[in-house]
Amino acid sequence: MNIQQFYEFCLSKKGVTEHFPFDEDTLVFKVGGKMFALSSLKEWENGTPSLNLKCDPQKALELRAEYEAINPGWHMSKIHWNTIDCNSDVPDKMMYELIHHSYELVFTSLSKKIQTEILGV
């Protein structure tokens, strides 16, 4: 996965917006005003990209045991967030699944009203 693929996949999700709330380096994707994915642009430029993604706590533990490149979230809640080193032992297909999982966790935590607004129903 490259930065363009990451960027386009995140923005392809319903209701997603991009932000730089912390600094000019950390790209954050939100749905309903809540973060579901973030990454350092400088790390992509340096060839050591990683993603911070929300994850179900039990699934997070299983993924950390299975993949060397999946670790507790850096600068995030270690229970609910993982940091995933890109270009590692995590296949691209799994990266997309984990981004989708993160999005779904955040989306389903939103109020029904906000979910309906995002879906345009």
Side-chain angles (χ1 to χ4, degrees):
M1 171 178 286
N2 62 43
I3 184 122
Q4 191 66 33
Q5 292 166 320
F6 167 62
Y7 181 82
E8 289 174 2
F9 187 69
C10 287
L11 283 182
S12 73
K13 302 287 184 193
K14 287 248 184 212
V16 170
T17 55
E18 61 178 294
H19 306 268
F20 287 88
F22 306 115
D23 52 39
E24 295 176 357
D25 175 51
T26 308
L27 173 61
V28 175
F29 291 99
K30 295 181 178 184
V31 61
K34 294 186 175 187
M35 295 188 303
F36 74 91
L38 54 150
S39 187
S40 162
L41 297 180
K42 288 178 188 167
E43 294 303 320
W44 284 94
E45 291 172 7
N46 293 338
T48 57
S50 65
L51 308 177
N52 276 11
L53 301 172
K54 195 152 193 172
C55 192
D56 170 78
Q58 185 58 44
K59 183 174 181 161
L61 293 173
E62 293 166 8
L63 290 166
R64 292 172 196 168
E66 185 175 347
Y67 295 99
E68 246 182 72
I70 300 180
N71 298 290
W74 188 70
H75 283 305
M76 307 295 283
S77 163
K78 309 296 186 219
I79 296 170
H80 297 280
W81 288 83
N82 281 332
T83 296
I84 303 150
D85 297 327
C86 302
N87 309 325
S88 60
D89 67 334
V90 181
D92 280 359
K93 183 178 185 227
M94 175 61 74
M95 296 289 280
Y96 287 109
E97 289 173 10
L98 294 174
I99 294 168
H100 179 72
H101 174 70
S102 182
Y103 171 86
E104 286 293 316
L105 279 176
V106 174
F107 182 81
T108 58
S109 75
L110 300 172
S111 71
K112 294 295 178 198
K113 180 183 178 199
I114 294 174
Q115 288 180 26
T116 301
E117 289 171 3
I118 290 170
L119 295 174
V121 180

